[in-house]
Amino acid sequence: MTDPVHRPEQAAVRGLLRAVGEALDGPVPREWQAAIKAIPRHRFLPERIWLEDDQGDYAPCDLSTDHDRWFEAAYADLPLVTQVNDGHPAADPADAWPSSSASAPSIVVRMLRDLDVRPGMNVLEIGTGTGWNAALLAHRLGPKHVTSIEIDSEVSEQAWASLNATGLDVDLICGDGSLGWPRRHPYDRIISTCSVRRVPWAWIEQTRPGGIVLTPWDNPMLCWGLLRLTVQRDQAQGRFSPHSAFMLMRNHRQDLRIFRDVVRDEHIPEESETTLSPWEITGDHWVARFALGLRLGDVWTAWEDDPGVDGVDARLWVATTDARSWAAVDHDGRHNKRFTVWQYGPRRLWDEIEAAHHWWEEHDRPAPTRFGLTVTAERQWAWLDQPTQSVRTLDHKAPRGCPSRPVPHPLP
């Protein structure tokens, strides 16, 4: 007989499985259905989560004071912010930025399905987060076959408590996931729950030949895409898919601001015009932005509405992550066929964007599935259709990170 205390939980799990199946265009695989039923998601969430409001800010939602809303969020097929500002309090909701989260269940299941684990395999997870993903893996493989690394000590402690409460004693380490965990290698699978801009070679070294490395992808222009690599003896190679948007690995971050780090009063930009609309490379143009991000590398964009400049309704900023080059594209609010361009620095960034966009169109507007990545100990490169058609070689050096919102600033 079913315990009535657990009926709301069981109903919520059934609803979540239906929602995940709809998102995946098919039923959740049986092994992962069993895992989700056995390990309810809400048991791995902190008592305080943060939900986005109508203004795009994050406001706390506490289990103790808003149980129904908290529980409903726990079983929605949505990502949930579980920490803001690396655990430091935010004085104002507008100052709260996500630093740890629970991924949307449909993305969790998609990645677990793509990981293709089987009994007897050993898995290394990069980014424990709440611990739910590690728990699902442990239910499928057994706790002794799962190792998980979390860089944040507070997040790690909470995940440890949740895992132990469910009797799943996985090997949980608090440390830098980009280094892997060589003490238990070789692994059959490595899965990352944070995005990267280049694949750490340590992950390849610690995966046995024939094994798989699965990680979300990020470039400064767009955080989007999932990369699945098959490891060989001296390299790893695989393709992207158009799924997932995860937080960037912490040691890949950088707090870049247009007018603090890039634009200076003494900069004298060159003026020109363009017929390429700035909206063609921003907004919902995910496929174009993904391709341009792979092609251009360390280039990011930021919109500035109503910049406070006469005759300018909106401005798109483009800059390099080394803060040496920038461009601005102005829209006057009336004409949509010609735009004013300002460029400064050793790289003419808008010229590069125009060339990259033309290249993308010439190649029949390729989607992420036509792109791939090859990783060796010396270098790694992105390619189109096949590894011999290189799009760009990625630097092995430590990456620069994410931009922040621009601050109004006039141009000549």
Side-chain angles (χ1 to χ4, degrees):
M1 183 175 179
T2 302
D3 185 343
V5 174
H6 297 301
R7 284 178 181 170
E9 178 182 304
Q10 293 170 348
V13 171
R14 289 194 297 270
L16 179 61
L17 288 170
R18 285 194 299 271
V20 171
E22 290 173 3
L24 298 179
D25 296 323
V28 176
R30 289 183 179 179
E31 62 271 22
W32 298 120
Q33 284 192 39
I36 291 171
K37 289 177 180 177
I39 307 167
R41 188 190 192 207
H42 78 276
R43 297 184 185 179
F44 284 81
L45 295 177
E47 292 188 1
R48 168 169 287 187
I49 58 178
W50 280 261
L51 302 179
E52 193 171 2
D53 60 23
D54 294 338
Q55 286 72 45
D57 298 325
Y58 289 91
C61 175
D62 293 334
L63 174 62
S64 59
T65 58
D66 201 351
H67 174 275
D68 291 346
R69 187 165 175 242
W70 185 96
F71 191 81
E72 182 181 357
Y75 286 96
D77 186 24
L78 295 170
L80 294 176
V81 174
T82 54
Q83 185 198 67
V84 297
N85 298 21
D86 289 337
H88 303 295
D92 185 278
D95 296 327
W97 48 271
S99 54
S100 189
S101 68
S103 302
S106 57
I107 291 295
V108 170
V109 173
R110 184 185 298 278
M111 292 181 68
L112 291 174
R113 184 186 65 185
D114 291 351
L115 198 63
D116 189 26
V117 296
R118 295 183 290 278
M121 287 186 171
N122 294 314
V123 177
L124 172 63
E125 178 191 41
I126 311 297
T128 310
T130 65
W132 191 53
N133 196 70
L136 297 176
L137 283 165
H139 181 274
R140 169 81 170 126
L141 301 174
K144 299 304 180 184
H145 290 278
V146 180
T147 302
S148 187
I149 303 178
E150 172 57 51
I151 197 169
D152 188 295
S153 58
E154 178 184 315
V155 173
S156 179
E157 288 174 7
Q158 183 163 331
W160 181 86
S162 298
L163 285 162
N164 277 271
T166 58
L168 296 170
D169 187 22
V170 307
D171 192 3
L172 179 56
I173 298 100
C174 183
D176 184 354
S178 68
L179 304 176
W181 188 243
R183 293 186 187 179
R184 295 194 64 182
H185 88 295
Y187 301 98
D188 299 285
R189 302 286 189 268
I190 291 182
I191 180 173
S192 175
T193 62
C194 53
S195 60
V196 298
R197 293 183 174 171
R198 55 198 40 74
V199 178
W201 180 245
W203 297 358
I204 310 305
E205 285 185 310
Q206 294 172 28
T207 304
R208 67 174 75 250
I212 291 171
V213 173
L214 184 68
T215 180
W217 187 254
D218 179 283
N219 64 59
M221 186 169 287
L222 178 67
C223 177
W224 187 56
L226 193 62
L227 175 64
R228 187 178 190 268
L229 298 168
T230 300
V231 175
Q232 302 165 19
R233 292 195 176 276
D234 57 353
Q235 69 174 30
Q237 193 163 272
R239 291 183 178 270
F240 294 95
S241 62
H243 306 294
S244 86
F246 281 71
M247 293 180 186
L248 190 63
M249 181 174 282
R250 291 198 181 185
N251 60 8
H252 286 202
R253 288 181 186 170
Q254 182 190 22
D255 179 23
L256 263 181
R257 298 176 189 268
I258 283 284
F259 304 118
R260 184 192 68 192
D261 303 309
V262 182
V263 178
R264 297 285 183 266
D265 289 337
E266 64 270 20
H267 290 176
I268 303 176
E270 294 181 2
E271 182 181 0
S272 60
E273 284 191 340
T274 183
T275 58
L276 176 62
S277 169
W279 285 279
E280 285 293 318
I281 62 161
T282 58
D284 294 334
H285 287 262
W286 308 105
V287 173
R289 290 169 64 194
F290 179 87
L292 267 61
L294 277 183
R295 183 79 169 173
L296 297 172
D298 59 345
V299 175
W300 56 278
T301 63
W303 271 106
E304 184 182 4
D305 295 321
D306 191 17
V309 180
D310 289 343
V312 180
D313 184 69
R315 172 174 287 163
L316 176 68
W317 288 97
V318 184
T320 55
T321 55
D322 65 7
R324 298 179 62 205
S325 301
W326 57 265
V329 184
D330 289 346
H331 177 231
D332 62 10
R334 295 178 294 112
H335 302 98
N336 291 308
K337 293 185 178 180
R338 301 195 73 83
F339 307 86
T340 302
V341 178
W342 308 89
Q343 299 188 86
Y344 176 85
R347 293 175 62 177
R348 292 298 182 259
L349 292 184
W350 191 254
D351 294 347
E352 291 187 23
I353 284 178
E354 286 185 319
H357 192 269
H358 180 68
W359 169 88
W360 177 68
E361 289 189 319
E362 275 193 328
H363 287 83
D364 299 322
R365 301 188 169 203
T369 51
R370 287 182 57 190
F371 292 96
L373 190 79
T374 300
V375 182
T376 70
E378 292 76 27
R379 68 190 184 103
Q380 46 192 281
W381 67 95
W383 40 266
L384 176 65
D385 295 331
Q386 54 188 339
T388 56
Q389 295 186 21
S390 176
V391 171
R392 182 176 62 89
T393 298
L394 284 68
D395 192 349
H396 262 307
K397 294 186 295 184
R400 308 292 296 274
C402 295
S404 298
R405 296 177 181 175
V407 178
H409 184 84
L411 287 173

